[in-house]
Amino acid sequence: MLAIDNMELLKKIHSYNKGGKNVKKIILLTLTILILLFSFSIEGNDENSKSNQKNKYVIYNMEQRPKNLIMTDNKNVREKDLIVSLFEGLVSLNDKGEIVPALCKEYNVSEDGIQYTFNLRENIRYSNGEKITANDFVQFFEEFLCDEKNIYREDLNCIFGVKQFINDTEDFSNVAIKAIDEKTLAIRLNNPCENFIYMLSKPVMSLRKYTALKNENTITKDTLFTGPFIIQDITHDNEIVISKNKNYYKNNLVTNEKLLFLLLMIKKKH
């Protein structure tokens, strides 16, 4: 298994961005230049830097600061790159665009293609050390589906009971997203849907405390993260510094201690 280094993280981000309608060539060119210039150790050398500080960074331009860590009210691909670094879902995409297990160690599909069973990893935790269980996913999906401003919730209409829940004709207890035990999550569909597992790999489907983040309506470091990084600092210079999540299940494979997200708007030439 390869270490999660600068290039692997960027490949992972790109795998979600493939086919994004809003990704401009000039932004990709800018990102390439930034990788070439800054994918090495940066030692602070200004008056506020500590002489012993040696931190590796990926410098990544996100253009503008997202208003929160929910990001379900728009289809802005680039702002969701932050979610890829901070949170994970049941499955994700590798650098080849293939579905791979993430917070689940494996998943099984019934012969009729209707029942999906996800077996969670034993060592998955939130960034504060709290255990992640199947009930956390049930709660996440309920809060995700309750959000009327969420433009992605109808993507899950293929799940039994979701359409009725969204239309307020049934309550969530009739939605076929169930925790069998602490480490087993079962999801039953209305009909076979080959695209379902891909939908679960989208950044917006990453596990997080949805309602809490929505109510905060801002980006804060006081968040429970589930991905390889956590927010360490948000500077006054439009920078978001993220650092390695010590409670991430593959923490030993994350080679970069810190990453830096710049928020620089690129002016279009007319």
Side-chain angles (χ1 to χ4, degrees):
M1 191 177 292
L2 297 177
I4 302 175
D5 57 12
N6 294 356
M7 192 54 66
E8 181 173 343
L9 179 65
L10 289 167
K11 283 180 178 179
K12 186 176 180 183
I13 289 173
H14 280 309
S15 68
Y16 290 107
N17 287 346
K18 284 179 179 178
K21 296 180 180 180
N22 297 323
V23 180
K24 302 293 190 296
K25 291 182 179 179
I26 187 170
I27 295 176
L28 293 176
L29 177 60
T30 302
L31 176 57
T32 302
I33 294 171
L34 288 171
I35 294 170
L36 292 173
L37 289 176
F38 296 108
S39 58
F40 52 79
S41 294
I42 297 178
E43 293 188 13
N45 56 8
D46 60 25
E47 61 183 5
N48 295 320
S49 297
K50 296 180 180 179
S51 59
N52 294 343
Q53 189 176 11
K54 294 181 179 179
N55 296 316
K56 283 190 174 183
Y57 285 88
V58 169
I59 311 294
Y60 188 80
N61 181 27
M62 208 165 48
E63 288 196 327
Q64 56 186 340
R65 177 174 170 172
K67 63 183 180 182
N68 57 40
L69 292 173
I70 293 299
M71 306 184 194
T72 54
D73 61 353
N74 67 78
K75 291 188 179 292
N76 185 324
V77 176
R78 288 189 64 79
E79 74 171 24
K80 293 172 179 59
D81 295 343
L82 190 58
I83 291 184
V84 175
S85 300
L86 300 174
F87 303 99
E88 270 195 12
L90 291 164
V91 296
S92 63
L93 293 179
N94 64 16
D95 59 347
K96 297 179 181 178
E98 301 166 333
I99 297 291
V100 293
L103 293 182
C104 80
K105 63 181 178 182
E106 62 183 5
Y107 67 91
N108 300 296
V109 186
S110 61
E111 289 187 6
D112 59 9
I114 291 178
Q115 181 88 3
Y116 283 72
T117 304
F118 299 88
N119 298 312
L120 304 185
R121 298 180 188 273
E122 292 296 329
N123 58 339
I124 53 175
R125 296 178 180 272
Y126 288 102
S127 52
N128 68 346
E130 178 186 338
K131 286 184 178 180
I132 294 173
T133 70
N135 279 316
D136 290 307
F137 282 96
V138 174
Q139 180 182 352
F140 164 74
F141 282 115
E142 180 177 4
E143 294 175 355
F144 183 90
L145 293 170
C146 279
D147 184 3
E148 294 181 356
K149 295 182 179 179
N150 178 2
I151 64 175
Y152 296 89
R153 64 178 185 164
E154 291 186 0
D155 289 351
L156 299 180
N157 276 348
C158 58
I159 298 175
F160 181 86
V162 165
K163 188 173 182 179
Q164 291 80 1
F165 177 66
I166 291 176
N167 293 332
D168 292 327
T169 59
E170 296 284 354
D171 60 33
F172 190 76
S173 63
N174 293 311
V175 175
I177 302 175
K178 305 294 182 181
I180 306 303
D181 55 43
E182 275 200 352
K183 293 298 180 181
T184 310
L185 180 75
I187 299 178
R188 181 161 56 91
L189 308 184
N190 296 304
N191 300 290
C193 177
E194 293 182 0
N195 200 39
F196 172 65
I197 198 68
Y198 173 78
M199 288 189 290
L200 291 185
S201 75
K202 291 181 178 181
V204 293
M205 301 290 179
S206 296
L207 179 65
R208 54 207 191 279
K209 300 292 187 180
Y210 191 95
T211 299
L213 291 174
K214 181 184 176 184
N215 291 341
E216 286 172 355
N217 200 32
T218 186
I219 294 180
T220 172
K221 58 184 180 181
D222 299 322
T223 296
L224 296 182
F225 301 99
T226 57
F229 294 91
I230 65 174
I231 292 179
Q232 176 181 310
D233 192 23
I234 302 173
T235 74
H236 296 295
D237 299 322
N238 288 327
E239 296 175 351
I240 298 175
V241 180
I242 65 176
S243 59
K244 188 159 69 170
N245 179 3
K246 66 180 181 179
N247 285 309
Y248 180 59
Y249 66 97
K250 291 193 293 185
N251 171 270
N252 62 315
L253 300 178
V254 181
T255 61
N256 292 103
E257 293 294 329
K258 294 182 182 180
L259 287 81
L260 181 64
F261 279 77
L262 299 179
L263 306 172
L264 302 174
M265 288 295 295
I266 298 175
K267 294 183 179 180
K268 297 179 181 179
K269 292 183 178 180
H270 298 284

